[in-house]
Amino acid sequence: MLCSTKCKKMLPYEITPRTVQVLASALQQLPKEGMSDSECLKNLASLIRIHGDLVKDSDDVQQSEIQTVESLHVSQPFIVFILGGPGSGKGTVCTRLVSEAGFSHLSVGDLLRREVASGSTVGNEVESIMKSGGLVSDELAISIVRGSIESTASRNPGCTLKILLDGFPRTLEQAIMFESNIAQVAKIVWLTCSNQILVDRILKRGLTSGRQDDNLESVTARLKAFNENTERIREHYATLNDGRLHLIDASLESDEVFSQVYQLLR
Ligand code: AP5
């Protein structure tokens, strides 16, 4: 027979305050018998995901557990991938699109930095990855994005959401997992810029940003990760040739870059 204590011990995830309430209700809903330990664990994992908590990368959480936006009773949002190298201006463009075009802005980088600042287990685990300029696991990135879309939808009931995913996907796998399991992407905005300009911007920002990855060593690694992983994403959407991929010259003045993206998305 399963009991709450046993289920909690089996959980590979950190229990955050937000999670406690969800778990309490989830444990009550679980059948007392006829359910294997692994089924119990997977059900709990799904319930935690639904409530948008960060989870550790775990073999126990299968990709098939990621539910579609539709199945979670959220009307299909208008989703835009905003992609580009470090310092290409993703965050800058997104900030203006929020205030001037009514978009919601979801940045995996910002959400990860928040997690690091909270001192949680997940935060401690990803801190060194981010500092070194590497990528967190696809599963964690997908989980964060999915949780954020859910949270945004629940804060705006009945609205057709317009969502900017800033810096997601970073791998072709993330793109495919997202489109297969969560939602279709309406447009992909690709901010192109030379490596030299990107490095100059990041080093300049590093003088005041306080970001642990705004230094020459980290940005070099971030650029390498970007160049190695994202070309496959660009090739994928270019091959589909369905009009969703748009390249924008991000070396132009900030206002000009914004204006071009705005025209594209309005
Ligand atoms: P993230 O926070 O997304 O960092 P990034 O991609 O390196 O991008 P930045 O935030 O540094 O730059 P930006 O393009 O937003 O430019 P901004 O507008 O700030 O990710 C951080 C880390 O998290 C990753 O390295 C990875 O470890 C992890 N991560 C995130 N997503 C992940 C995922 N999906 N999967 C796995 N891991 C993930 O502008 C930069 C500067 O340039 C500013 O000072 C700005 O004022 C200036 N600027 C902007 N535009 C212009 C312009 N047109 N002209 C002149 N200056 C400009």
Side-chain angles (χ1 to χ4, degrees), residues 86-87 89-92 113 134 136 170 174 205 211 222 252:
K90 302 183 292 293
T92 304
R113 278 184 287 279
V136 307
R170 304 257 174 171
Q174 287 180 17
R205 186 179 65 183
R211 265 179 66 164
R222 283 154 68 194
L252 300 170

Side-chain angles (χ1 to χ4, degrees), residues 66-199:
I66 301 172
Q67 297 174 36
T68 62
V69 167
E70 194 183 356
S71 73
L72 290 165
H73 311 296
V74 177
S75 56
Q76 197 66 11
F78 180 82
I79 290 180
V80 181
F81 288 162
I82 305 284
L83 301 178
S88 56
K90 302 183 292 293
T92 304
V93 163
C94 288
T95 302
R96 283 191 65 180
L97 286 169
V98 169
S99 60
E100 297 178 40
F103 276 89
S104 298
H105 175 203
L106 305 181
S107 158
V108 177
D110 286 348
L111 291 164
L112 286 169
R113 278 184 287 279
R114 212 164 68 191
E115 203 56 28
V116 170
S118 77
S120 69
T121 308
V122 173
N124 291 337
E125 283 177 5
V126 300
E127 185 174 17
S128 58
I129 298 174
M130 294 178 75
K131 201 171 171 181
S132 69
L135 297 178
V136 307
S137 72
D138 289 340
E139 290 76 11
L140 178 58
I142 287 273
S143 170
I144 288 171
V145 164
R146 189 179 179 291
S148 299
I149 292 176
E150 276 300 298
S151 303
T152 307
S154 65
R155 286 196 306 274
N156 300 278
C159 298
T160 301
L161 297 173
K162 299 197 296 178
I163 296 178
L164 304 167
L165 292 182
D166 168 354
F168 179 93
R170 304 257 174 171
T171 64
L172 182 58
E173 288 72 22
Q174 287 180 17
I176 290 172
M177 280 165 78
F178 183 88
E179 292 221 74
S180 310
N181 295 300
I182 299 180
Q184 272 280 304
V185 172
K187 298 224 183 266
I188 299 118
V189 174
W190 202 290
L191 301 177
T192 63
C193 206
S194 74
N195 286 355
Q196 189 56 56
I197 291 178
L198 297 180
V199 171

Side-chain angles (χ1 to χ4, degrees), residues 235-255:
E235 276 170 11
H236 171 70
Y237 287 106
T239 305
L240 289 178
N241 196 23
D242 52 12
R244 288 186 293 168
L245 177 63
H246 301 271
L247 306 188
I248 303 280
D249 181 355
S251 65
L252 300 170
E253 286 286 315
S254 219
D255 280 350

Side-chain angles (χ1 to χ4, degrees), residues 33-59:
E33 53 189 23
M35 185 182 272
S36 71
D37 286 359
S38 72
E39 281 173 316
C40 168
L41 179 59
K42 284 181 180 176
N43 280 356
L44 283 170
S46 293
L47 280 158
I48 294 167
R49 277 177 187 280
I50 287 167
H51 288 262
D53 280 294
L54 295 179
V55 295
K56 270 193 194 171
D57 181 13
S58 162
D59 289 340

